[in-house]
Amino acid sequence: MDRGRLAALADERLDWRFKAVPAGAWGSTVAEYLAGAPTLDDLGTPLVTLDAGAVDHNLATMAEYCAKAGVGLAPHGKTTMAPVLWQRQLAAGAVAITLANLPQVRVGRAFGLRRIHLANALLDPAGLRWLAGELAADPEFRFSCWVDSVRSVELMAEALRGAPAPVDVCVELGAAGGRTGCRTVEEAVGVARAVAAADGLRLVGVSGYEGALAHDASAGSLAAVAGYLRELGRLHGLLAELYHPAAERIWITAGGSAYFDTVVEELGPLAGGRVAVVLRSGAYLAHDDGFYRGISPLARGGGQGFRSALHGWLRVVSRPESGLALLDGGKRDLSFDEGLPEPQLRRGHGPVGGEITALNDQHAFLRGAQVQVGDVVRVGLSHPCTVFDKWSLLPVLDSADAEVPRVVDLVRTYF
């Protein structure tokens, strides 16, 4: 990535655009604000923070896992949309950053990202022409995306007619009831043949997303995921003669943050030569205190798991009934699609107990906790992918467990 562009983020002026930033910091640059050694007490609520130690731990843990397993990692950047975090993932050994749509690709290119895997089809003619121009202008830029129909191949080829550089594609295999992707291996082979015959496209691998097929770690779910991955491996075997001869790497790519161990077990043995098995896990970096805490392969395997790096900090603003407290953060601030926030502690008093039973846009309903108006409650969050998008600037604490956590960084996001 462009280190100068990343470094320039420290010169951004803080103001009213960033809801995590107190008014007293307005007018300062990020660097100037951090030089003042701010603490959590200087910030208002509602607030979401990252824990520096947990992020460091998660980066190292995933890098070590992939190295031992002999697989690559192209983490899904859509989780954070934070270029400074993408750079840390690349520095830890990631081979590329995965993104989900064209606007995200443009963010990546704005920060000089040179290895992008788009886990989606790209059919927008104007977007394809822009992409071809980027590839032609930067010989070090590597890009690949997915296709799952002959029609999508035809549309891409039409848009790229006369383009100065070809676009690499992986054929996506799906499954009945899943998301996108060819529904049978035979259909996928037909799409691959269309790619091989098309001008402006190069077939460089097979792809898929097993996470759409299951939502827990039951025996039946794990069997469904394994069966799908075996079909993805079978597809790869059938395409050996169709892969583009000039491709640097042939990718077999799957693996979100819930079942990447099964990907390694089923597809890992296929790696070798120019064939790379590449995971796309993204949520591991922040992990959570909900969905991924329960389903992560490292938690299920009994080894050294990831640590939750995301925390919400909410203030009690009302106790209108016995046993009920209203906190000042809601759906506009916190994730709620994979479980409600988890009360963890009352600042200055230890564990808080109770349960958050509902969220409104700007309020959380905390029941059964011994709290007073004005107390600040730390909550754990579930599903990091729907937290980062709510915060354009995230304070990073040295430790969320410290008596007085220090703010050691501010992470900029671009959604």
Side-chain angles (χ1 to χ4, degrees):
M1 296 182 70
D2 185 334
R3 301 299 181 93
R5 181 70 180 86
L6 291 170
L9 292 174
D11 299 324
E12 186 166 17
R13 294 282 173 184
L14 301 174
D15 57 27
W16 51 267
R17 292 171 298 157
F18 308 114
K19 65 182 181 180
V21 175
W26 293 357
S28 301
T29 66
V30 169
E32 290 167 346
Y33 175 69
L34 294 174
T39 70
L40 179 64
D41 292 331
D42 298 317
L43 305 177
T45 57
L47 180 68
V48 168
T49 62
L50 280 169
D51 184 295
V55 171
D56 290 347
H57 168 83
N58 295 343
L59 272 170
T61 299
M62 192 63 177
E64 180 182 5
Y65 177 91
C66 290
K68 287 184 177 179
V71 299
L73 175 65
H76 215 321
K78 72 172 176 63
T79 299
T80 67
M81 286 305 295
V84 293
L85 296 180
W86 297 348
Q87 178 57 44
R88 293 198 63 189
Q89 291 172 303
L90 291 167
V95 299
I97 296 296
T98 297
L99 296 170
N101 58 31
L102 183 61
Q104 293 176 9
V105 173
R106 287 175 171 152
V107 172
R109 290 301 290 158
F111 282 87
L113 183 58
R114 282 183 164 161
R115 279 165 173 72
I116 297 174
H117 182 68
L118 180 64
N120 210 338
L122 178 55
L123 303 181
D124 170 28
L128 282 164
R129 289 191 291 271
W130 169 82
L131 174 66
E134 292 286 299
L135 289 165
D138 185 353
E140 295 187 39
F141 178 32
R142 300 291 182 269
F143 174 89
S144 54
C145 65
W146 296 3
V147 290
D148 72 352
S149 69
V150 172
R151 175 62 174 161
S152 62
V153 172
E154 293 170 346
L155 290 171
M156 292 185 72
E158 174 65 25
L160 291 168
R161 181 172 293 129
V167 172
D168 290 346
V169 298
C170 295
V171 173
E172 181 192 3
L173 181 67
R179 204 164 60 185
T180 54
C182 301
R183 287 328 198 220
T184 67
V185 167
E186 292 69 29
E187 179 187 356
V189 170
V191 174
R193 293 189 186 282
V195 173
D199 292 331
L201 300 178
R202 304 196 314 170
L203 183 64
V204 300
V206 296
S207 60
Y209 177 54
E210 75 293 336
L213 306 179
H215 206 68
D216 57 39
S218 66
S221 291
L222 295 176
V225 168
Y228 162 75
L229 293 169
R230 285 192 288 272
E231 286 294 277
L232 186 61
R234 183 166 75 89
L235 173 62
H236 162 70
L238 294 173
L239 301 188
E241 296 181 356
L242 296 176
Y243 290 133
H244 199 282
E248 298 172 1
R249 289 284 184 271
I250 300 302
W251 276 32
I252 306 173
T253 177
S257 293
Y259 306 107
F260 58 78
D261 58 334
T262 309
V263 175
V264 168
E265 293 168 5
E266 297 294 339
L267 300 179
L270 300 178
R274 68 170 182 157
V275 176
V277 173
V278 182
L279 306 179
R280 301 192 309 276
S281 313
Y284 78 91
L285 185 65
H287 199 48
D288 71 5
D289 282 309
F291 176 71
Y292 285 111
R293 179 178 61 188
I295 202 171
S296 167
L298 301 192
R300 290 188 275 113
Q304 184 183 40
F306 301 120
R307 291 165 47 190
S308 178
L310 280 171
H311 299 93
W313 305 86
L314 312 176
R315 197 177 307 272
V316 179
V317 292
S318 177
R319 290 193 62 198
E321 302 171 9
S322 176
L324 172 64
L326 276 297
L327 313 181
D328 65 350
K331 294 179 180 179
R332 300 295 175 90
D333 313 295
L334 313 170
S335 57
F336 58 91
D337 58 315
E338 293 285 1
L340 293 173
E342 171 188 273
Q344 294 180 332
L345 61 83
R346 174 185 171 200
R347 281 212 69 202
H349 298 276
V352 67
E355 178 186 9
I356 291 178
T357 59
L359 293 181
N360 289 161
D361 282 355
Q362 312 290 175
H363 292 93
F365 290 70
L366 174 61
R367 298 184 182 276
Q370 296 300 313
V371 294
Q372 300 296 324
V373 170
D375 286 346
V376 173
V377 176
R378 190 183 85 186
V379 299
L381 304 173
S382 180
H383 196 198
C385 295
T386 52
V387 179
F388 282 88
D389 63 317
K390 297 172 173 57
W391 297 87
S392 56
L393 202 64
L394 276 165
V396 181
L397 305 179
D398 59 343
S399 172
D401 293 325
E403 184 175 349
V404 182
R406 293 184 300 110
V407 180
V408 296
D409 203 357
L410 297 173
V411 168
R412 186 73 156 89
T413 68
Y414 294 88
F415 283 91

